[in-house]
């Protein structure tokens, strides 16, 4: 159902609690077919950061960041007549870019002023959203929202004061700006984390995770990356669940996206420990597996139609690193095996022991065939698929991230991936960097995040964006939008792997604290969990120092870097019992509460 376009009307003053959640209920009763929010979202009035006169009769207003919203104007009593309002997401030569590239937004609206009566100014609804049955529509009572940072007013009567203009920005109602933090000795990395954190917040406007402004549609892979980002920046879980439910009703077409539904459910279980939600969704979740496409060897087979339209590998097409598609290919099977492994865990959690054994058997058979068919022992790399000798970045990054690479082969593949660089999209970068971090290549992973050139988050920062993009640059996807949270992987990667804070048991009753700073001198942060925040501070120099505070009811397994000169560990000044695993000291006893932990030249506590 299309939204009405007559939204140039006086602003109504709703009670503070009357957010989109209330509107959703009312609108569902009045018009059950209308697509509205699934989770509580509210409009927040924001003052301008800067007001500048840029031409005779033209005022430029800068709100500092892009947000999805519209305007509230409070004209003077003498106001009478029309003004022109320009909304802009792109800036060029000191003015709003009125012909922005791709799906970047610009809109011009004429607003009628009649004395000091407040006016809401918003654009007409985009046909891309109102004619797309999968698009998420915002409540009509808000007026249409669009992403913008700048506004130009033509014909405003007199001087525009800051109190006369407000952006009404849409965000998740429960969003907590103070829930998380990250800071390190690399200021560029700090700015990257903040860019990605804000991207997760700003794209919460729809009440569920959507792909961005162009479609405003939920996609499975986008949703999983959003979910991880929200867990590590805000801690909320409801939006991921609502998006999951929507995707069960409106699944999308890529083959790998169904595996992401398993990823979403497993991440929810680890975050919350809630088996009731999991049990209610378990029957539908089993349908997301591709068991019907397995061959006798346990590998998934793709038909010609599935190869041509279904097996995605990466997006956009130009980011596939010349991947050679075959009927039995590496990436599809890597996702399938990972989904089977996680489904076995979920089945065991629900005491579906027969299912768990079945999933495990399928995964074990497929894993053996995966190694035999795809691994090239001469190059030490995985081929793209059966019948080709081509080894793309993707054929190796996904097996590495999903734990399919035997331990002896991991260092070679990780080095090769690090040397190849960011030859993948912002989506696949999540898994590329996961694989590098998990292979103790933190320095390579961080270098890719901050690399010069146009294929890094540093490039996004240098380009002036305040929300992550759909692609690395406009030239890689000419119709991209600039509001894509699937490009915000560092929001979860930096706290998960640099600070090293992850759940070890469902609901965070046990956590892993495994900081890996790479070449950073220090890093610290606050990580939200359902039990309360984890506070962590790390410094590395002659010794490695870790200051840790855990919330009540949480214990942690702690690992610290080891070296030839650092062979002892103190916990709160006392020698601790540890053992060596590769280049890490692992504390034998769990940590609870607060502790000061330090490696130092000592033989105390060694087994």
């Amino acid at each position: 159902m299309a939204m009405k376009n007559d939204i140039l009307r006086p602003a109504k003053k709703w009670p503070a609690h009357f957010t989109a959640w209330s509107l959703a209920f009312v609108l569902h009763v009045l018009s059950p077919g209308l697509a509205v929010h699934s989770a509580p979202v509210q409009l927040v009035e924001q003052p301008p950061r800067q007001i500048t006169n840029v031409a005779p009769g033209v005022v430029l207003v800068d709100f500092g960041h892009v947000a999805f919203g519209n305007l509230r104007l409070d004209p003077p009593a003498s106001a009478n007549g029309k003004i022109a309002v320009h909304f802009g997401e792109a800036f060029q030569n000191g003015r709003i870019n009125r012909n922005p590239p791709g799906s970047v937004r610009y809109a011009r609206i004429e607003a009628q002023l009649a004395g000091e009566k407040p006016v809401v100014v918003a654009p007409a609804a985009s046909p891309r959203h109102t004619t797309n049955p999968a698009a998420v529509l915002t409540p009509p009572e808000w007026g249409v929202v669009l992403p913008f940072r700048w506004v130009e007013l033509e014909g405003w009567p007199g001087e525009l004061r800051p109190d006369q203009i407000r952006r009404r920005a849409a965000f998740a109602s429960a969003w907590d700006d103070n829930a998380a933090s990250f800071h390190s000795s690399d200021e560029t990395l700090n700015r990257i984390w903040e860019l990605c954190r804000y991207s997760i917040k700003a794209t919460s406007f729809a009440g569920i995770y959507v792909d961005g402004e162009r479609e405003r549609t939920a996609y499975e892979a986008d949703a999983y990356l959003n979910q991880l980002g929200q867990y590590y920046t805000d801690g909320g879980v409801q939006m991921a669940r609502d998006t999951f439910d929507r995707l069960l009703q409106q699944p999308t077409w890529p083959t790998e996206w169904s595996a992401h539904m398993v990823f979403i459910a497993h991440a929810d279980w680890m975050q919350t420990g809630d088996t009731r939600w999991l049990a209610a969704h378990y029957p539908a979740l089993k349908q997301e597996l591709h068991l019907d496409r397995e061959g006798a060897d346990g590998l998934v087979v793709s038909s010609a139609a599935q190869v041509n339209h279904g097996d995605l590998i990466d997006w956009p097409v130009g980011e596939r690193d010349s991947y050679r598609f075959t009927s039995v290919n590496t990436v599809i099977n890597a996702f399938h095996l990972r989904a089977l492994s996680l489904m076995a865990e979920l089945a065991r959690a629900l005491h579906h022991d027969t299912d768990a054994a079945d999933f495990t058997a399928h995964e074990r058979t497929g894993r053996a065939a995966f190694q035999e068919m795809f691994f090239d022992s001469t190059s030490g790399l995985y081929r793209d698929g059966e019948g080709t000798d081509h080894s793309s970045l993707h054929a190796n990054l996904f097996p590495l991230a999903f734990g399919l690479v035997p331990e002896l082969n991991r260092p070679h593949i990780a080095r090769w991936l690090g040397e190849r660089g960011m030859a993948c999209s912002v989506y696949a970068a999540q898994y590329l960097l996961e694989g590098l971090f998990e292979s103790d290549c933190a320095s390579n992973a961080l270098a890719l995040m901050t690399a010069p050139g146009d294929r890094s988050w540093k490039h996004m920062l240098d380009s002036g964006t305040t929300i992550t993009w759909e692609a690395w640059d406009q030239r890689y996807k000419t119709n991209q939008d600039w509001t894509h949270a699937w490009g915000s992987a560092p929001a979860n990667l930096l706290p998960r792997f640099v600070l090293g804070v992850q759940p070890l048991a469902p609901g965070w009753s046990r956590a892993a604290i495994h900081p890996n700073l790479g070449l950073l001198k220090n890093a610290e942060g606050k990580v939200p969990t359902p039990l309360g925040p984890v506070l962590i501070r790390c410094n590395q120099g002659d010794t490695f120092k870790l200051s840790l505070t855990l919330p009540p009811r949480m214990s942690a397994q702690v690992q610290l870097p080891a070296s030839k000169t650092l062979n002892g560990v103190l916990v709160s000044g006392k020698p601790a019992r540890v053992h060596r695993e590769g280049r890490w000291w692992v504390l034998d006893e769990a940590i609870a509460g607060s502790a000061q932990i330090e490696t130092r030249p000592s033989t105390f506590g060694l087994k």
Side-chain angles (χ1 to χ4, degrees):
M1 177 179 175
M3 289 185 285
K4 295 180 180 179
N5 294 336
D6 56 335
I7 40 66
L8 294 177
R9 57 184 180 277
K12 296 180 180 180
K13 293 186 177 180
W14 300 106
H17 65 276
F18 197 81
T19 64
W21 187 253
S22 310
L23 286 169
F25 176 77
V26 173
L27 292 168
H28 177 72
V29 172
L30 296 178
S31 183
L34 182 66
V36 294
H37 288 299
S38 298
V41 181
Q42 65 183 353
L43 292 177
V44 177
E45 291 198 351
Q46 299 176 319
R49 292 281 184 90
Q50 187 175 25
I51 298 176
T52 310
N53 293 313
V54 292
V58 181
V59 182
L60 174 69
V61 181
D62 181 5
F63 287 93
H65 288 75
V66 171
F68 284 80
N70 49 44
L71 284 181
R72 172 189 168 118
L73 299 177
D74 289 277
S78 60
N80 186 25
K82 290 183 178 181
I83 64 169
V85 182
H86 303 264
F87 295 87
E89 192 180 359
F91 204 59
Q92 188 175 55
N93 300 324
R95 299 289 296 275
I96 289 175
N97 185 347
R98 301 187 184 187
N99 187 30
S103 300
V104 181
R105 292 301 302 273
Y106 162 77
R108 180 187 184 278
I109 306 296
E110 287 191 353
Q112 179 70 45
L113 304 184
E116 58 186 356
K117 183 183 297 184
V119 176
V120 170
V121 184
S126 169
R128 291 183 311 211
H129 306 147
T130 57
T131 61
N132 176 9
V136 182
L137 306 184
T138 50
E141 288 297 330
W142 286 6
V144 175
V145 299
L146 81 163
F148 69 96
R149 171 177 173 176
W150 293 276
V151 170
E152 287 182 15
L153 302 182
E154 294 184 63
W156 182 262
E159 179 184 358
L160 177 67
R161 302 193 314 267
D163 63 332
Q164 292 176 322
I165 183 169
R166 290 289 187 272
R167 179 170 64 184
R168 308 192 318 156
F171 302 113
S173 300
W175 187 275
D176 183 359
D177 280 322
N178 299 313
S181 65
F182 175 86
H183 190 271
S184 75
S185 53
D186 187 328
E187 185 56 32
T188 298
L189 208 60
N190 302 338
R191 292 175 61 212
I192 288 171
W193 185 80
E194 177 55 28
L195 166 68
C196 296
R197 183 203 71 85
Y198 178 73
S199 299
I200 300 293
K201 176 184 177 180
T203 55
S204 68
F205 77 98
I208 65 169
Y209 302 137
V210 295
D211 65 325
E213 165 60 12
R214 187 179 61 256
E215 297 181 42
R216 298 197 185 184
T217 300
Y219 284 89
E220 293 84 348
D222 301 66
Y224 176 62
L225 271 59
N226 269 253
Q227 175 189 33
L228 295 180
Q230 186 169 12
Y231 284 176
Y232 279 90
T233 57
D234 167 67
V237 301
Q238 190 59 45
M239 196 171 292
R241 290 180 167 189
D242 290 340
T243 307
F244 183 92
D245 288 339
R246 186 181 184 94
L247 286 165
L248 286 179
Q249 300 300 318
Q250 296 182 327
T252 64
W253 53 271
T255 301
E256 301 97 307
W257 275 204
S258 59
H260 281 90
M261 293 292 277
V262 179
F263 296 1
I264 292 169
H266 187 272
D268 181 276
W269 174 60
M270 289 300 294
Q271 183 76 4
T272 68
D274 184 358
T275 54
R276 288 181 298 176
W277 183 88
L278 178 61
H281 292 85
Y282 181 77
L285 201 60
K286 290 173 65 175
Q287 305 306 311
E288 301 294 335
L289 299 174
H290 292 299
L291 297 176
D292 59 322
R293 288 173 56 179
E294 281 188 358
D297 58 2
L299 295 178
V300 169
V301 180
S302 299
S303 67
Q306 288 160 341
V307 169
N308 291 330
H309 185 75
D311 296 357
L312 190 81
I313 309 304
D314 205 348
W315 195 261
V317 172
E319 298 287 16
R320 291 171 175 165
D321 194 30
S322 301
Y323 192 89
R324 305 284 175 82
F325 284 79
T326 66
S327 60
V328 184
N329 80 68
T330 309
V331 170
I332 298 303
N333 278 283
F335 272 97
H336 180 59
L337 294 173
R338 179 62 173 167
L340 283 171
S341 176
L342 297 182
M343 277 298 292
E345 288 187 40
L346 298 181
R348 283 191 290 271
L350 297 175
H351 306 293
H352 296 311
D353 296 335
T354 300
D355 279 355
D358 186 48
F359 297 145
T360 299
H362 278 269
E363 195 271 345
R364 186 181 298 118
T365 300
R367 180 186 285 257
F370 185 94
Q371 188 70 13
E372 181 179 353
M373 178 172 290
F374 302 132
F375 186 70
D376 182 344
S377 58
T378 301
S379 66
L381 301 172
Y382 289 90
R383 296 182 285 260
D384 293 352
E386 183 181 22
T388 178
D389 289 328
H390 186 260
S391 293
S392 66
L393 189 86
H394 301 74
N396 290 274
L397 76 87
F398 287 111
L400 189 69
F402 294 159
L404 299 173
V405 181
E407 195 63 35
L408 290 176
N409 300 335
R410 290 184 69 87
H412 172 70
I413 290 178
R415 283 194 301 271
W416 182 82
L417 289 170
E419 292 167 358
R420 288 293 315 282
M422 199 70 79
C424 62
S425 75
V426 294
Y427 145 69
Q430 168 77 37
Y431 297 107
L432 169 64
L433 297 177
E434 276 192 22
L436 292 176
F437 277 120
E438 290 171 350
S439 301
D440 290 340
C441 295
S443 296
N444 284 345
L446 296 177
L448 289 176
M449 288 186 189
T450 59
D454 63 3
R455 302 183 69 81
S456 70
W457 284 275
K458 179 180 183 297
H459 172 63
M460 291 191 197
L461 287 175
D462 292 345
S463 300
T465 188
T466 59
I467 301 179
T468 52
W469 294 341
E470 184 181 0
W472 293 118
D473 190 77
Q474 204 68 31
R475 70 192 185 99
Y476 299 119
K477 195 173 193 299
T478 57
N479 73 334
Q480 76 156 330
D481 64 45
W482 289 358
T483 53
H484 240 72
W486 89 334
S488 59
N492 74 81
L493 292 172
L494 292 174
R496 286 174 66 204
F497 294 107
V498 174
L499 299 181
V501 181
Q502 299 193 50
L504 267 183
W508 286 85
S509 59
R510 288 191 300 122
I513 307 296
H514 184 180
N516 192 345
L517 273 58
L519 300 179
L520 298 173
K521 294 179 181 179
N522 57 70
E524 62 182 283
K526 179 181 181 181
V527 178
T529 81
L531 301 181
V534 173
L535 305 178
I536 183 170
R537 178 182 295 119
C538 308
N539 292 272
Q540 63 179 1
D542 294 336
T543 65
F544 190 98
K545 297 179 180 180
L546 169 65
S547 175
L548 180 66
T549 299
L550 302 175
R553 297 183 291 125
M554 180 188 295
S555 63
Q557 179 199 81
V558 176
Q559 299 184 46
L560 299 179
S563 71
K564 293 180 180 179
T565 59
L566 298 175
N567 58 0
V569 177
L570 300 180
V571 176
S572 300
K574 298 180 180 180
R577 294 187 61 81
V578 297
H579 65 277
R580 185 80 173 259
E581 292 184 7
R583 54 182 294 267
W584 301 94
W585 291 123
V586 181
L587 274 66
D588 292 342
E589 295 184 3
I591 297 294
S594 297
Q596 306 294 320
I597 307 172
E598 180 180 1
T599 60
R600 58 182 299 172
S602 169
T603 58
F604 287 116
L606 296 185
K607 286 186 175 180

